[in-house]
Amino acid sequence: MTETATIKKPAQRGSITSLIDIVFPGDTNHHGTLFGGTGLALMDRVAFIAATCFWRTFFVTASWERIDFRQPAHIGHIIETAARPLKAGRRSLAVDKDHRPVPVYDPAEIISPEKEGA
């Protein structure tokens, strides 16, 4: 069993890695919301990047403890997925992940040329 200690290096403890993406129709289910598996893939990707940047070596995902989808991401929404290293051991690294819509705009609020002239 590997002991895990809280990260002590101040420059790396708070470092956050972010990916920003847009939800396209091919990424959604029949409700027009992001597939859970696509969201998980984005979280896994950003966790890999955060871990690799922290240790400067390659990692694989061994396990996830809990995933809660709090709100849906719809077609056209811009989403941000962020991760930061929490605990480092000799052979493991715990990474905190977050996945949320970026408050840039709601696609329903975009004014199209047809609406503008009405």
Side-chain angles (χ1 to χ4, degrees):
M1 184 176 241
T2 304
E3 272 189 45
T4 306
T6 302
I7 296 169
K8 301 286 186 192
K9 300 175 184 175
Q12 294 173 334
R13 182 176 359 130
S15 63
I16 296 175
T17 302
S18 295
L19 290 177
I20 296 176
D21 206 347
I22 187 167
V23 179
F24 288 106
D27 300 326
T28 61
N29 57 28
H30 62 287
H31 297 292
T33 60
L34 186 68
F35 274 121
T38 304
L40 293 173
L42 290 169
M43 287 186 263
D44 193 30
R45 182 177 298 154
V46 75
F48 168 80
I49 294 169
T52 301
C53 289
F54 180 79
W55 272 133
R56 303 285 184 214
T57 189
F58 292 109
F59 280 84
V60 296
T61 302
S63 68
W64 289 22
E65 298 218 358
R66 182 182 174 115
I67 302 294
D68 291 319
F69 293 101
R70 296 185 193 136
Q71 66 185 86
H74 296 275
I75 295 172
H77 282 178
I78 296 173
I79 54 173
E80 178 180 25
T81 307
R84 67 183 173 94
L86 291 178
K87 296 179 181 180
R90 284 190 358 232
R91 295 175 28 186
S92 65
L93 178 67
V95 177
D96 181 36
K97 297 163 290 302
D98 189 23
H99 185 75
R100 63 187 173 275
V102 176
V104 175
Y105 73 91
D106 182 346
E109 295 175 0
I110 299 297
I111 299 172
S112 67
E114 296 85 30
K115 287 183 184 178
E116 205 170 277

